[in-house]
Amino acid sequence: MGDHDGRRRFDVTIDDAGAATLDPSSYNFFAGPTRKCRITTHRVAGYWKGRPTGDSDDQTGFVWMAPAKPGQLPIPVRAETEFGLGTMVLNLKGID
């Protein structure tokens, strides 16, 4: 699927990366079975050609999906991606 934010054009691909289990930790609200999804963005147009960070035109991240409570639809409970400055990790901290 393609996307455009008004200045840049990029393609997004989402693939099933299989079942995964998140272990309990002080960082995340959710622990248990999840579905891991691979999200790849491919830069098409509107990006600086000589990026000093050395980023490639493809960037890949992962999102772990699971129902936060029994009987609910799956939501993102964790996300992780690497970029020029390091790794960014997002964890669900709670729900109402």
Side-chain angles (χ1 to χ4, degrees), residues 28-79:
N28 57 314
F29 168 79
F30 181 86
T34 67
R35 200 76 196 162
K36 188 175 179 182
C37 302
R38 179 182 305 104
I39 301 175
T40 304
T41 59
H42 176 73
R43 296 172 176 168
V44 176
Y47 293 90
W48 182 27
K49 295 286 186 202
R51 291 184 298 277
T53 60
D55 289 344
S56 72
D57 285 339
D58 290 335
Q59 292 183 311
T60 301
F62 293 93
V63 175
W64 288 257
M65 305 285 293
K69 290 184 178 178
Q72 291 184 339
L73 293 174
I75 61 171
V77 295
R78 179 182 172 88

Side-chain angles (χ1 to χ4, degrees), residues 2-5 7-11 42-47:
D3 203 358
H4 186 269
D5 68 0
R7 289 185 356 173
R8 295 173 293 264
R9 167 78 167 77
F10 52 93
D11 291 337
H42 176 73
R43 296 172 176 168
V44 176
Y47 293 90

Side-chain angles (χ1 to χ4, degrees), residues 68-88:
K69 290 184 178 178
Q72 291 184 339
L73 293 174
I75 61 171
V77 295
R78 179 182 172 88
E80 184 176 314
T81 189
E82 293 186 26
F83 59 103
L85 299 174
T87 301
M88 179 175 61

